[in-house]
Amino acid sequence: MLNLSNKLKNIREQRCFKLLSMLIKAALAVGIIVILLRHSGVKSENFTGLRPVWLVAAFAAVLAQNLLTGIRWWYLLRAAGVKVSLFDAVSLTMQGLFFTLFIPGGSVSGDVVKGALIAGKTGEGHKFDAVFSILIDRLCGLCGLFILSLLAALLALLQPVKWPEFFADMLYVVVAAAPVFLLCFVAAFRCDIILKVAFFKKLYDLANRLTRGGISRIEQALAAYRPAWKTVVAWTLLSGFAAFPLIVLAVWLIAVAALGISGSCDSGVVIGSLLSGSIGELAGILPLTPGGIGVRDAVFVEIFKACGLPGAASAVIPIVFTTLFVLASSTGALFALYMLWAGKKHPGKK
């Protein structure tokens, strides 16, 4: 009885900690946005003058990127032998994005809920593979984002522009870090080759003992994707050259809404949109605020300022993007409600 009481106490403490953590992160996001608005000289007319048709197009681009992420995950699930419908993969992806924003724990909680739901839809022999596919999906997306960020940074550095020192340093860091991350992913994916070296095999065996077989289970899960390496590579490239460029497009469309066609075609706006949709998205991955809100906005502002945009415009674009991002992610609630309704209508159907 005492053990049960202690367990319930620990659960309550964990929930309180997660809730407090979420509140702190949300407060940090709001605080950053308020500071950006105050220091950038943004006025209400900067928002009322936005052209709605371009905002609708930008929302469609953000939503399309989210849907494409769900399709990518579906292909990776199939590559691991996990059979789920395309609708379920897209639905769970959208729900994960929603939970990332609106439940304690951020992206971790979103992935936990997503993993629990996908595990419930697969057979006993594929539950681990189904949950592990979420990590593979994230890594493929991250690799694609690093590829796009590397190209964007190189393009910016090749411009005949004297960038601010801190901004140029950031670009050089991206150029140096992106290939390292990509090489690390390749090394992890083909660790079977690396383990042929005796020294690395001993390290692997030691780590496996310390994790009670956890490392070997991860290696076995990775092994399931090696025969389908073409699928992994294809979706990594599609992420870099199709999915995340939709974010770039959305940022540029918001610039069109704010500045008009002529202003948004300026090279500084185009480069700023490309850098924001790649490097800015990398910053948004940091688990400091829900969905990277606030952190992403601050990076967007600094990028656009470095590209020559006035303070008000450089702040309006990321704030509007964040609004559309939240709206697009909120559609996950509709998928969740539909699955609840479908579950009640067909109780035996997973």
Side-chain angles (χ1 to χ4, degrees), residues 50-71:
L50 295 170
R51 297 161 177 81
V53 64
W54 299 108
L55 296 181
V56 172
F59 173 78
V62 175
L63 187 60
Q65 193 271 337
N66 291 341
L67 296 174
L68 194 56
T69 299
I71 296 172

Side-chain angles (χ1 to χ4, degrees), residues 110-124:
D111 282 347
V112 169
V113 173
K114 186 176 171 181
L117 292 173
I118 190 62
K121 290 181 172 293
T122 55
E124 288 297 328

